Amino acid sequence: MARYGPAEVEALRQQAESDPDGFWLDLAKRLDWYRPPTKAGDWSYNEDDFHIEWYADGQLNLSVNCLDRQLDARGDKVALIFEADEPGTGRSLTYREIYEETCRFANLLKSYDIGRGDRVMIYMPMIPEAAAAMLACARIGAVHSVCFGGFSPESLAGRISDCDACAVITADEGVRGGKIIPLKLNVDEALKESPVPTCIVVTRTGNDVPMTEGRDVLYSAVREALSTECEPEVMNAEDPLFILYTSGSTGKPKGVVHTTGGYAVWAATTFDWIFQPQASDIFWCTADVGWITGHTYVVYGPLMNGATSIMFDGVPNYPDFGRFWETVDRLGVTIFYTAPTAIRALEREGDDWVTRYSRESIRLLGTVGEPINPDAWEWYWRVVGGGRVPIVDTWWQTETGAALISPLPGSTPMKPGSATQPLPGIHAILVDEHGKELEGAVSGNLCLTTSWPGQMRTVWGDHKRFFDTYFTTYRGRYFTGDGCRRDEDGYYWITGRVDDVINVSGHRVGSAEVESSLVSHPLVAEAAVVGYPHDIKGSAVYAFVTLNAGEEGTDAVRQELIKEVRHDIGGLAAPEKIHFTPALPKTRSGKIMRRILRKIAEGATDGFGDTSTLADPSVVDALLAGRQ
Ligand code: WT7
């Protein structure tokens, strides 16, 4: 039985409209506060008075809400199930065990004088210690910044220096898909460029890794001596909780800052509304903690709700394409939440990998990260869910902290491919390119007109960039960067990014970042990068490259450029296609016409629209001739 049936959801929506402050303050009551807030949101999106605050006079500690608070009722309940790369070799931690591990970690950090406001970089596999490290930071008031283990040492170094981290927590090595990931070696590389005084190394494989005396400490060597109790810091609601770097349309990745109270309320609330956890549920969100989905729906949301959450350290195709469903059966997973890219990749391998497992424990399916095409939705529903369980398609962003547009199972009728409707309290609108609000069934750019507790508060170290990025395209509104269609029933259908962000397998790649990596190569004169539709990844990276005069665009050069991008950013950003061209299409004022490049990347041979503003219209013919 849904705890939020149509009547409850309607009541929430009504209260959100008639008494917003009461509505938001009521949501905060689901947490334990040292000092409960008396104020809900206080915000303005206007330049002269720009500010966003939630529950500003409240005080709390998020690790207490995830752990201490659960001990009495469910200290012996499993909090985290570590599902290792090699099936069946993981382990489980109860709430008491993860509480103790967190306290140990917190005490270790404190022994290095790390405390309130200090930044700690986490570069780890999906092991319980990664959650403990995050929770330990929250406990002592340090600000964590998790960097996905697939990012290169170069990217890690950039993040460490941007937030001026005072410590890195890592593991000796990671293991994914049967392959070793040299995490500690990567950290050593990064620390050459951006040194920190302390590096904590957790044992995952136990293989030998170099340790630097005075800087590196092996967690297993000090763990036993660390106390399993640690007094939590009393944090203000608006104290920063974490920084998570994400790619935008311009420049380097932005440090998205989330604060404690508002993020906690919205993560806890949306987890409850959307997944409606029951005591016996086994919840599996397949995301890595290096992404916002892992923060909100692997660690914080489930633990605040006293749920059992799986940390999956593997990949969908190892040891074979049945991995997800074998694991579902073995662990008795009841709620399964993954990305459309994984669904598409598995659909391609045939139904047999799915149907040979029972999957009867599943009662709810979810998707996140990119638009799900109705065909993949249909397969997910019919084959994985056996046509008997609802699907929640949750739209949100790193910036929104937790889901904003999503069905509530049991009360929102589903439509394949639509994230359905904004959650109670969320005000979404569509605008045209001039910012005029569009009514009814229409396509436009997706904006939010009012704030919500989980909204990001700033870009680390660059508040102006925060305002400029999100609040200047359409004055007085938060612009998501997404295009969207609304149908006659008021359902939202996200069509994808309308800015220069490329959504590769549900992860954001900034075209400017890839371009700057390419042009840093000595052979490259100029580069322009766009996204193009890709069967499995959703979108993939297509790079147009002009080499220096006299250089030839051979396959060897192609490989070298791909290597360059992997080195500078990580494998995720590596171009799928590199198209050498003698010139890029530019306007007379020198602006690259990406519209034309997108068309060419999509495979079009005509229909380029008005090309009369090009400085040299013959460039288009040269581009077409040079296509691979
Ligand atoms: C972008 C945000 C939300 C956590 C994972 C990605 C796209 C996200 C959906 C969805 C259509 C979606 C949007 C958004 N997106 N969820 N259910 N349907 N598109 O977080 O890396 O910050 O990316 O992902 O384009 O803007 P992110």
Side-chain angles (χ1 to χ4, degrees):
M1 256 310 284
R3 268 183 294 125
Y4 297 97
E8 286 78 13
V9 175
E10 191 45 40
L12 282 169
R13 289 195 192 283
Q14 269 178 19
Q15 193 201 2
E17 301 314 309
S18 62
D19 173 22
D21 283 353
F23 168 78
W24 295 115
L25 285 171
D26 278 355
L27 296 187
K29 289 182 186 150
R30 63 174 66 232
L31 300 186
D32 276 359
W33 300 79
Y34 297 111
R35 191 165 78 200
T38 64
K39 294 192 297 195
D42 181 349
W43 55 270
S44 160
Y45 290 169
N46 296 322
E47 185 159 19
D48 49 0
D49 180 30
F50 179 61
H51 68 282
I52 302 168
E53 280 185 0
W54 280 88
Y55 310 119
D57 62 349
Q59 291 186 320
L60 76 167
N61 183 287
L62 186 43
S63 87
V64 168
N65 276 281
C66 290
L67 304 173
D68 311 43
R69 181 180 189 217
Q70 315 291 2
L71 292 183
D72 282 345
R74 50 185 78 85
D76 296 326
K77 176 176 175 169
V78 171
L80 295 174
I81 300 176
F82 164 50
E83 173 64 15
D85 191 48
E86 211 55 56
T89 62
R91 63 199 150 98
S92 299
L93 274 81
T94 63
Y95 271 93
R96 184 169 313 282
E97 287 168 331
I98 181 77
Y99 165 85
E100 291 183 351
E101 204 64 40
T102 297
C103 288
R104 287 194 153 118
F105 246 111
N107 286 320
L108 179 59
L109 293 172
K110 277 169 84 171
S111 75
Y112 290 101
D113 233 9
I114 296 169
R116 287 181 89 99
D118 294 331
R119 275 80 58 207
V120 174
M121 188 63 61
I122 298 177
Y123 186 68
M124 288 177 90
M126 282 291 284
I127 55 179
E129 288 84 354
M134 293 164 73
L135 290 158
C137 290
R139 194 161 192 89
I140 65 171
V143 180
H144 61 70
S145 184
V146 185
C147 175
F148 174 56
F151 279 120
S152 68
E154 197 77 12
S155 288
L156 176 62
R159 285 158 167 78
I160 291 170
S161 83
D162 185 80
C163 73
D164 197 13
C166 64
V168 175
I169 307 175
T170 189
D172 47 8
E173 297 171 322
V175 193
R176 281 242 170 130
K179 292 197 207 73
I180 296 277
I181 301 157
L183 293 173
K184 175 61 165 64
L185 287 178
N186 286 353
V187 170
D188 286 345
E189 261 318 289
L191 294 187
K192 277 189 211 150
E193 204 173 309
S194 308
V196 298
T198 307
C199 175
I200 300 170
V201 184
V202 175
T203 303
R204 165 71 176 90
T205 63
N207 291 332
D208 257 353
V209 291
M211 296 291 279
T212 298
E213 180 104 25
R215 183 195 72 187
D216 299 350
V217 53
L218 198 57
Y219 181 61
S220 63
V222 296
R223 179 176 177 274
E224 280 305 309
L226 294 163
S227 164
T228 54
E229 295 294 331
C230 174
E231 196 57 34
E233 283 288 312
V234 175
M235 303 306 290
N236 296 315
E238 283 298 339
D239 284 336
L241 174 70
F242 65 82
I243 304 168
L244 190 56
Y245 285 85
T246 189
S247 297
S249 45
T250 57
K252 291 188 306 179
K254 292 185 288 285
V256 169
V257 175
H258 282 287
T259 57
T260 311
Y263 171 80
V265 169
W266 196 235
T269 301
T270 56
F271 181 81
D272 184 33
W273 283 353
I274 296 170
F275 301 110
Q276 305 193 20
Q278 297 156 8
S280 59
D281 272 322
I282 308 283
F283 177 78
W284 186 8
C285 164
T286 65
D288 190 284
V289 287
W291 312 110
I292 190 72
T293 313
H295 283 60
T296 305
Y297 297 120
V298 174
V299 180
Y300 289 121
L303 296 185
M304 277 189 281
N305 281 279
T308 298
S309 176
I310 296 179
M311 292 185 80
F312 177 51
D313 204 16
V315 291
N317 60 355
Y318 181 85
D320 57 43
F321 287 99
R323 177 59 189 271
F324 277 171
W325 326 118
E326 180 272 326
T327 304
V328 161
D329 281 1
R330 180 162 39 81
L331 300 178
V333 172
T334 58
I335 308 173
F336 181 78
Y337 186 37
T338 196
T341 186
I343 298 168
R344 286 191 300 264
L346 294 177
E347 177 183 7
R348 204 169 69 157
E349 300 301 322
D351 298 3
D352 187 49
W353 285 112
V354 187
T355 53
R356 69 174 68 166
Y357 300 100
S358 119
R359 295 155 285 116
E360 69 185 3
S361 54
I362 295 179
R363 68 165 181 83
L364 182 61
L365 293 170
T367 89
V368 60
E370 42 174 331
I372 180 162
N373 34 318
D375 173 71
W377 191 101
E378 181 69 30
W379 184 82
Y380 198 33
W381 187 74
R382 184 173 50 80
V383 179
V384 175
R388 57 175 184 88
V389 303
I391 296 178
V392 285
D393 176 353
T394 61
W395 174 88
W396 55 297
Q397 312 180 293
T398 306
E399 294 88 338
T400 70
L404 296 192
I405 304 181
S406 169
L408 298 183
S411 52
T412 319
M414 303 177 288
K415 292 191 190 188
S418 171
T420 75
Q421 292 179 321
L423 293 174
I426 302 302
H427 298 103
I429 60 164
L430 301 181
V431 300
D432 68 12
E433 70 267 34
H434 309 295
K436 186 166 137 330
E437 182 172 351
L438 303 167
E439 305 288 343
V442 71
S443 287
N445 295 327
L446 180 65
C447 292
L448 299 157
T449 57
T450 57
S451 183
W452 64 99
Q455 182 167 30
M456 73 181 280
R457 298 296 194 268
T458 190
V459 170
W460 182 263
D462 198 347
H463 198 54
K464 184 171 181 303
R465 189 170 174 203
F466 177 46
F467 181 76
D468 289 348
T469 306
Y470 302 100
F471 303 94
T472 55
T473 317
Y474 306 114
R475 298 267 162 197
R477 282 153 187 174
Y478 169 83
F479 176 42
T480 62
D482 279 338
C484 182
R485 178 170 71 83
R486 188 172 47 217
D487 71 15
E488 55 290 346
D489 296 324
Y491 274 44
Y492 289 77
W493 302 71
I494 309 293
T495 47
R497 304 290 308 194
V498 294
D499 52 10
D500 293 324
V501 172
I502 308 169
N503 191 330
V504 180
S505 305
H507 300 305
R508 270 151 75 161
V509 172
S511 38
E513 271 176 84
V514 184
E515 286 162 8
S516 98
S517 167
L518 289 169
V519 297
S520 74
H521 191 280
L523 294 180
V524 174
E526 246 188 334
V529 162
V530 297
Y532 76 102
H534 185 280
D535 280 352
I536 302 292
K537 299 180 178 183
S539 308
V541 175
Y542 193 119
F544 294 88
V545 173
T546 305
L547 297 175
N548 291 331
E551 300 295 345
E552 206 191 322
T554 60
D555 271 344
V557 174
R558 254 194 202 101
Q559 290 316 316
E560 229 185 281
L561 295 183
I562 290 173
K563 214 169 108 196
E564 180 87 10
V565 177
R566 285 183 177 275
H567 170 266
D568 290 347
I569 307 173
L572 194 68
E576 192 81 19
K577 290 201 178 146
I578 295 185
H579 182 150
F580 293 111
T581 174
L584 294 169
K586 290 186 189 166
T587 61
R588 273 175 219 112
S589 61
K591 209 168 159 293
I592 294 173
M593 285 182 83
R594 287 171 187 279
R595 175 174 60 80
I596 292 176
L597 294 178
R598 275 193 205 101
K599 277 253 162 211
I600 291 176
E602 280 165 20
T605 47
D606 52 18
F608 296 112
D610 184 9
T611 53
S612 63
T613 53
L614 281 176
D616 175 8
S618 74
V619 166
V620 176
D621 296 325
L623 274 166
L624 286 172
R627 189 149 50 193
Q628 268 184 72

